[in-house]
Amino acid sequence: SVQLWSDYLNVHLHPKSVYVIRQYMHDGECGCLEAFGQGESLLQDPGCVEELEDRLHFYVEECDYLQGFQVLCDLHNGFAGVGAKVTELLCDEYSGKGILTWGLTPATSNLGILMVGFFFSSQDFLKNFYRLMNTALGIVRLSGHSSLFCPLSLSGSLGIK
């Protein structure tokens, strides 16, 4: 039975490479992870940080010569906050290593984030406002802790008009 996105993969993932955030699963108690602060607060929990560090150290110890890290992170939702805290952790623990961060945003059509008009409901406006704030905070915080930050989108404007 299919329960997670990874159930659709044909490739077997190592159990240490996937960390499921239980409270934000489809049937979780918190709903969806839509704000930067929600993502950031996930890594305030010492148990979560310890689990993340254990998984990271597992892979780092396997490297003969660790040169750096690549981080792929959504910018438009709460995962921007998670990514910001992860890059901060990497920067603190592995200060001499490079961190290449890819900030990902989906290509969207007819999205007017800064446009207030009669065509958008208040819920659409709030959703677009969250998207704008997540993207702005994500770019600032991720680029601050990365050696190189590259925003990536199929849209020429990162989905922001």
Side-chain angles (χ1 to χ4, degrees), residues 21-92:
I21 303 169
R22 300 257 177 243
Q23 61 265 40
Y24 291 104
M25 288 179 61
H26 296 290
D27 57 353
E29 69 266 8
C30 294
C32 66
L33 186 61
E34 63 183 348
F36 185 89
Q38 287 175 311
E40 217 177 23
S41 68
L42 283 173
L43 292 179
Q44 300 296 340
D45 175 31
C48 180
V49 173
E50 184 179 324
E51 179 70 25
L52 183 67
E53 286 176 340
D54 287 346
R55 290 169 185 257
L56 181 63
H57 289 265
F58 174 79
Y59 284 106
V60 168
E61 289 170 3
E62 294 294 319
C63 295
D64 292 332
Y65 180 68
L66 178 67
Q67 294 180 354
F69 301 92
Q70 284 194 53
V71 178
L72 284 86
C73 180
D74 286 337
L75 286 177
H76 66 283
N77 57 24
F79 284 102
V82 174
K85 287 305 249 182
V86 168
T87 54
E88 184 179 342
L89 172 80
L90 291 173
C91 189
D92 290 345

Side-chain angles (χ1 to χ4, degrees), residues 56 66-72 83-102 141-150:
L56 181 63
L66 178 67
Q67 294 180 354
F69 301 92
Q70 284 194 53
V71 178
L72 284 86
K85 287 305 249 182
V86 168
T87 54
E88 184 179 342
L89 172 80
L90 291 173
C91 189
D92 290 345
E93 289 220 12
Y94 303 96
S95 59
K97 306 300 179 191
I99 302 172
L100 171 59
T101 305
W102 303 92
R141 296 286 302 280
L142 287 166
S143 62
H145 296 291
S146 302
S147 306
L148 178 64
F149 174 78
C150 296

Side-chain angles (χ1 to χ4, degrees), residues 1-8 20 22 25-26:
S1 69
V2 174
Q3 294 180 348
L4 302 171
W5 65 268
S6 57
D7 294 337
Y8 289 104
V20 178
R22 300 257 177 243
M25 288 179 61
H26 296 290

